[in-house]
Amino acid sequence: MSPDGIPGPVANVKRVLAALGAEDTVTVFDSKVPTAASAAATLGCEVAAITNSLVFDVDGTPLLILASGAARVDTALVAARLGTGKIRRASPAYVLEHTGQEVGGVAPVGHPEKIRTLLDESLKAHSLLWAGAGDHHSMFSITYNELQKITSAEEMPVR
């Protein structure tokens, strides 16, 4: 916990958002929002406007894919587009090691080291997106263009 009672990973995301010049829109909820469906229900928005931060393992190197909560990532398509070997969903321990955040609360930013990031182009369809803010109780709102800017993500279809 930070001195103001905010969990460490969330406080870190807030610091990074500020450092990147993004508005601090972090919202902490009373109940957990670890899935796109639970987040959408809590926020009253479409599941497709939830930005899942999904960590994959590409031959021992992490890959972060920011994908619509309404879609499943086609790892074979992404691997072909990137010219990589097989892309595997990372274990919870691997995710925590590389992001400092637990599965279900991973934010697009605030990781110990920069992670190569892809941004699902289908998210452009939404004027406002919601992304995890470091734990199961927190999310922040952001536009597609701002999300791309603060993450330096490569835009591509991922499904």
Side-chain angles (χ1 to χ4, degrees), residues 3 11 25-26 32 46 54 58 63 69 73-74 77 79 93 103 110 115 120 139 143 145 149-150 155:
T25 59
V26 173
K32 289 183 176 184
E46 294 179 51
L54 306 172
V58 183
L63 174 68
V73 172
D74 182 340
L77 171 72
V103 170
I115 299 173
D120 179 358
M139 299 198 68
T143 66
N145 288 337
K149 179 182 166 190
I150 68 167
E155 299 172 273

Side-chain angles (χ1 to χ4, degrees), residues 13 17 20 36 47-56 62-75 78 82 87 89 95 99 101 105-111 114-126 129-134 139-140 142-159:
V13 169
L17 288 171
L20 294 170
V47 174
I50 302 298
T51 304
N52 285 333
S53 297
L54 306 172
V55 180
F56 294 87
L63 174 68
L64 177 63
I65 300 179
L66 306 176
S68 169
R72 187 177 171 103
V73 172
D74 182 340
T75 56
V78 173
L82 296 178
I87 296 175
R89 180 70 66 115
V95 172
T99 68
Q101 303 159 0
V106 175
V109 296
H111 314 131
K114 175 76 174 137
I115 299 173
R116 183 178 187 183
T117 304
L118 306 180
L119 179 58
D120 179 358
E121 290 181 341
S122 75
L123 290 166
K124 282 183 187 177
H126 305 280
L129 302 171
W130 287 88
M139 299 198 68
F140 69 95
I142 193 163
T143 66
Y144 179 91
N145 288 337
E146 187 72 11
L147 182 60
Q148 194 284 321
K149 179 182 166 190
I150 68 167
T151 60
S152 300
E154 302 167 55
E155 299 172 273
M156 74 170 51
V158 298
R159 57 187 170 122

